[in-house]
Amino acid sequence: MLIALRTDLPSWLWPRAAYIHVPFCAHKCGYCDFASVAGFDHLADRYLSALEREMGMTLGQPAVVDTIFVGGGTPTRLDPDQLERLMAKIAHWFPLTKGGEWTVEANPGTLDVAKVELLVQAGVNRVSLGAQSFRPALLAALERNHAPEEVERAVELVRGRFPRWSLDLIFGIPGSTLADCEADVAAALALGPSHLSCYGLVYEKGTNLWKQWQAGQVVPVDEETERAMYETVIDRLALSGLSMYEISNYARPGHESRHNLVYWANDAYFGVGLGAASYVDGVRSVNTRDLAAYLRRIEAGEPATGPTERLDAEARARETAMLMLRRTVLGIDRNDYELRTGYSLDGLLGPALARFVDQGLLEDDGQRLRFSREGRFLADRVLCELV
Amino acid sequence: MAFDPKYIRDFSIVAHIDHGKSTLADQLLLQSGAITQREFREQLLDDMDLERERGITIKARAVAINYTLDGQVYELNLIDTPGHVDFHYEVSRSLAACEGAILLVDATQGVQAQTVANAFLAVGNDLTIVPVLNKIDMQAARPEEIKEEIMHTLGIDPAEILAVSAKTGQGVPDVFRTIIDRVPPPSGNPSGPLRALIFDSKFDDYQGVITYVRVVDGALKVGQKIRLMAGGTDHEVTGLGQFRPREIACDELGVGQVGYVIANLKQLSDVRIGDTITQVPGAAEIPLEGYHEPVQVVFCGLFPASHNQFDDLRTALQKLALNDSSFSFEPETSDALGFGFRCGFLGMLHMEIVQQRLERESNLALVQTAPNVTYEIVTRKGETLHISNPTRIPDPGDIEEFREPIAKVNFILPADCIGAIMQLCEDRRGVFIKTEYLSPTRAILTYELPLAEMIYDLYDKLKSATRGYGTMDYELIGYRAGDLCRLDIVVAGQKVDALSVVVHRAHADRRGRKLVRKLKGEIDRHQFEVAIQAAIGSRVIARETISALRKNVTAKCYGGDITRKRKLLEKQKEGKKRMKQVGNVEISQDAFLSVLDDTDD
């Protein structure tokens, strides 16, 4: 399916961002609900060919972007030749503007000097490392198969080779205490990242962890402790100069993930690969999560898209508010909002927003609306009334 | 020319719900040639979606059937009746337009509570009863046993009881013959001044009010000037007709004929059911015996979930009232819920139907308060007040006597369930009257129960305690003084008037504790602790605390998550639609209804 490049359109209609998905993993972690597969490495070459073909079918001609994000799965699970080939094809179809951001996700234990060098050569300038925890027992609870030391080794490989790198942490892992959380944050900070993503654990339906929870084999951390952990994360990171800029993201000023900010501005993006989502010209679509079906369809020259969705103007404006508020610093700028959605923020959502300001969950400086500190902990109470 | 009354028979079918009344009606239409086999389908007479779903006929309708027996053409007018206990009143007004009634009993289920109630109504209206057993083609049919039961309960000779299958048509010709042989023809005076009984009416967008009448004396003609005797208003007949079963216009309706009249009536309130139509000039002097006004026994507050829909709700209620004169509404203001309406209904089912119809037809989200009854209060000053809204009950110090409505309830149930139902009634302050056996395995149990104790869930409880075999029927027998008091609910320091209930003082502590525990489960957690208290006057008798919500945030939301997360949030929002903001606290619809739920948890 060929689409005409519409670079004349604004960033919320025409993508300046591309997401590329690589589903291969050594094994499936207990909490993971991404489109990932273990034990299918023999399909990697076929998959890469399909990716190339999909990029060609979707774009017809290379599309210049400001940000690229290669996620998974575990992109660095590919062997060096495969990885090099993937990077070259991405660079061909999605030429990066000068100063653009190109992130690749990596799991500790899958990185080595050769892979790091070829990523650097390809133009990757940001790496996101999935640490999740530094406590062996907690990594076991998540069914992660790396050891804490491997994170440090990966960081040593990455540091100095990429201008920016990030760590992922998860708090609220079953069996963890506030002290565990503090220790994890300290261990992460000791490695000196300029960006951290810290997630409260989500029991996603269908995952192993969810099944264990349903069966009563796993007891979630109680809400009071989880809240204390979240507060600890926010405060400890702030003390170290990593300020919260989104519900689950923290960075030194200027080190925010530009690619992820695209999502929270409700801007458009391309998505290529298994289960990848794209948002182009107001239409959201998601590729199939079934690897065999993906390969079959792309190889037959058909798009691999599943359900698509086009929201009407008001629903899109509401969704934009819901996403923008996740940005804890930027929040919603009234002018920006009206420019992007065609709706006046106060005209569309005024009474609800005013109520949350009254309740102390939002702060309004006349220009921007943001979550208050308390509001960050109860964000869904607010967001559910905006959609 | 009107039909010769000698060859007219006017009758109804009365039955317990699901005993096959509508199927028999359709079969009569089929065998008389009024409808084709193709048109023969279940519930032909029910034209409202809601009724079809629930298998209940709510609004009475009439069908004229021509049937030839031994070379003579007869006009048989079948007047349909509702089957549920709530609509007792509508049954009685339909019966008043008949000379006979088919008493239809399911040959697999036997006599049920409404069989008995409706049979007594028919006998009370001096109708000739034609007893018919239905579903005799079914394997589980027990015709001989059921005939015994009918004899025991209603004193009907088993030899008189016909046996049919409304589904296959077996035995239905005998029904025609028996109606013609045994139901007397109408006895009115064809040359006397016109008297026609209005037994129903409905509103039509194009024609205005359509009244359903049975001519008793004289004749109704198109172009005639008529008078509604009780209403005292005069009109001109612009249209007449019968349902066969489709509307067929005619010029005249004579003695005994049943049909519809269109006479430039603008709204349903212009017509009183039970009024007599006469002619002008030459009006009749004495009207026909009218009906009782419908008695509303259950009341509740209906409030729009969002404040700005008050006018929409009013419009919707007015529109609904055009087609249902038996429910009432008046504006009500609640501190907790804002502006809404106090509505009165014939019973719980009626209430549910009205509420569903409001939501379905007007797309309104409603918050409904717990249903309650009308109390009679004698104040210290000697006034007698009738109060159907708990919030209006005076302070305990001002009450001399607190009276509540009492119903006489008949249960028909398997004999081995008597103990369970007696326990249920005793728990609800019932007074045992008697037990009678229909057969060794089935009995009628009679209790007097406070109406307030039975409106909410007695029927459901009966069904579960008797594995579905028990049935019940009730009638109001008056007011009785009780040791009653109002139990108030205080949420986060604020009294929520819409949650107040009337309870017996002896049960107040237990009810209060249970209630706050229930509410604790129904009210969502907030940013702050929410205290829930139950109080009588200023005395707090129970308290629970809902802990504060500490964390509620979706951790991840990237490109692939947006649609799913948005839908999850939309779902949360949907759940909030029926919430009412009381002070700082949001209270759900379920919480408002939970106050009457007396089940143990």
Side-chain angles (χ1 to χ4, degrees), chain A residues 199 223 248 319 377 380 387, chain B residues 525 550 552 554-555 566 573:
Chain A
Y199 306 102
E223 187 178 296
S248 300
E319 186 186 73
F377 302 105
D380 284 3
V387 292
Chain B
R525 289 187 301 155
R550 301 288 285 151
N552 177 21
T554 302
R566 194 192 66 241
K573 183 186 189 177

Side-chain angles (χ1 to χ4, degrees), chain A residues 234-294:
Chain A
I234 295 172
D235 293 340
R236 276 295 288 118
L237 296 183
L239 269 178
S240 302
L242 290 151
S243 42
M244 185 181 202
Y245 71 98
E246 194 262 353
I247 297 287
S248 300
N249 285 279
Y250 308 79
R252 291 192 198 292
H255 288 249
E256 297 84 2
S257 162
R258 288 170 51 194
H259 182 83
N260 289 337
L261 282 168
V262 164
Y263 300 133
W264 304 318
N266 211 6
D267 270 343
Y269 48 88
F270 293 112
V272 190
L274 186 70
S278 64
Y279 184 35
V280 180
D281 204 4
V283 178
R284 290 194 191 286
S285 53
V286 186
N287 277 348
T288 173
R289 289 170 68 106
D290 176 341
L291 180 59
Y294 174 80

Side-chain angles (χ1 to χ4, degrees), chain A residues 11-145:
Chain A
S11 62
W12 51 94
L13 292 176
W14 191 256
R16 313 274 193 266
Y19 176 84
I20 295 94
H21 191 80
V22 180
F24 305 104
C25 281
H27 91 124
K28 182 100 180 166
C29 303
Y31 62 96
C32 172
D33 79 326
F34 289 107
S36 62
V37 292
F40 287 89
D41 297 333
H42 58 285
L43 293 178
D45 283 315
R46 244 182 98 187
Y47 183 80
L48 295 180
S49 302
L51 268 186
E52 289 172 42
R53 185 139 184 213
E54 193 192 0
M55 288 189 273
M57 283 195 297
T58 310
L59 301 172
Q61 54 181 296
V64 176
V65 293
D66 297 328
T67 67
I68 299 170
F69 197 106
V70 184
T74 313
T76 47
R77 170 88 187 158
L78 297 173
D79 66 36
D81 292 345
Q82 291 166 336
L83 197 56
E84 191 166 15
R85 173 180 164 199
L86 173 64
M87 295 298 125
K89 290 301 165 187
I90 292 172
H92 170 75
W93 287 106
F94 294 114
L96 200 59
T97 49
K98 199 168 158 56
E101 173 191 279
W102 186 349
T103 306
V104 172
E105 273 184 348
N107 270 3
T110 59
L111 271 187
D112 55 32
V113 177
K115 287 182 189 174
V116 166
E117 285 315 311
L118 73 87
L119 291 178
V120 171
Q121 291 309 316
V124 173
N125 53 22
R126 187 171 179 273
V127 169
S128 172
L129 286 169
Q132 319 311 356
S133 175
F134 294 87
R135 320 289 279 174
L138 300 184
L139 287 170
L142 293 176
E143 300 177 38
R144 294 285 294 184
N145 64 353

Side-chain angles (χ1 to χ4, degrees), chain B residues 201-464:
Chain B
S201 62
K202 81 169 196 181
F203 186 80
D204 180 279
D205 286 341
Y206 302 103
Q207 297 174 300
V209 177
I210 298 175
T211 55
Y212 293 71
V213 299
R214 143 86 194 252
V215 177
V216 175
D217 296 316
L220 257 173
K221 292 169 186 158
V222 173
Q224 193 178 21
K225 290 258 189 299
I226 55 165
R227 173 169 298 165
L228 305 182
M229 291 183 75
T233 55
D234 290 355
H235 308 271
E236 187 182 323
V237 176
T238 58
L240 282 180
Q242 289 175 302
F243 294 97
R244 290 177 171 275
R246 277 160 291 277
E247 289 181 23
I248 306 281
C250 62
D251 296 333
E252 182 177 339
L253 290 173
V255 167
Q257 287 191 298
V258 175
Y260 64 86
V261 181
I262 301 166
N264 276 326
L265 289 149
K266 295 283 179 275
Q267 29 184 324
L268 271 198
S269 53
D270 296 344
V271 179
R272 278 182 41 190
I273 307 301
D275 200 351
T276 301
I277 295 179
T278 190
Q279 66 197 57
V280 274
E285 284 172 17
I286 303 165
L288 298 162
E289 202 181 322
Y291 304 92
H292 307 290
E293 283 289 318
V295 185
Q296 286 141 11
V297 296
V298 179
F299 296 82
C300 75
L302 284 179
F303 294 82
S306 75
H307 298 299
N308 52 19
Q309 288 192 315
F310 175 76
D311 277 334
D312 296 342
L313 177 56
R314 188 211 305 273
T315 308
L317 285 166
Q318 282 167 342
K319 194 171 147 214
L320 209 61
L322 289 178
N323 250 321
D324 184 351
S325 51
S326 54
F327 91 96
S328 65
F329 60 99
E330 55 179 61
E332 176 183 6
T333 309
S334 153
D335 294 341
L337 300 178
F339 296 107
F341 294 91
R342 193 84 199 157
C343 304
F345 308 93
L346 301 176
M348 288 297 285
L349 177 74
H350 188 213
M351 180 175 87
E352 251 181 74
I353 289 174
V354 168
Q355 196 204 336
Q356 284 186 15
R357 203 168 275 170
L358 277 175
E359 300 205 342
R360 189 178 297 201
E361 292 170 11
S362 311
N363 194 25
L364 286 169
L366 298 176
V367 172
Q368 183 203 327
T369 63
N372 62 274
V373 300
T374 302
Y375 294 94
E376 190 172 87
I377 288 173
V378 182
T379 64
R380 288 263 146 93
K381 289 186 199 147
E383 297 165 291
T384 302
L385 309 172
H386 284 91
I387 295 176
S388 55
N389 184 345
T391 58
R392 300 240 181 93
I393 289 167
D395 287 338
D398 296 333
I399 297 176
E400 182 67 38
E401 195 165 272
F402 203 141
R403 298 173 186 154
E404 61 180 332
I406 304 293
K408 189 170 117 191
V409 188
N410 286 318
F411 300 96
I412 295 188
L413 67 177
D416 61 351
C417 299
I418 289 178
I421 300 305
M422 285 183 78
Q423 186 61 51
L424 196 63
C425 291
E426 297 296 328
D427 290 347
R428 291 164 188 244
R429 303 187 283 124
V431 176
F432 173 76
I433 304 298
K434 62 181 178 190
T435 315
E436 281 174 77
Y437 281 83
L438 299 177
S439 70
T441 55
R442 301 222 307 147
I444 303 185
L445 178 65
T446 307
Y447 260 88
E448 286 177 9
L449 277 161
L451 185 63
E453 297 279 353
M454 51 176 284
I455 52 170
Y456 185 62
D457 62 349
L458 186 66
Y459 185 72
D460 294 340
K461 288 275 155 60
L462 169 72
K463 283 290 172 196
S464 65

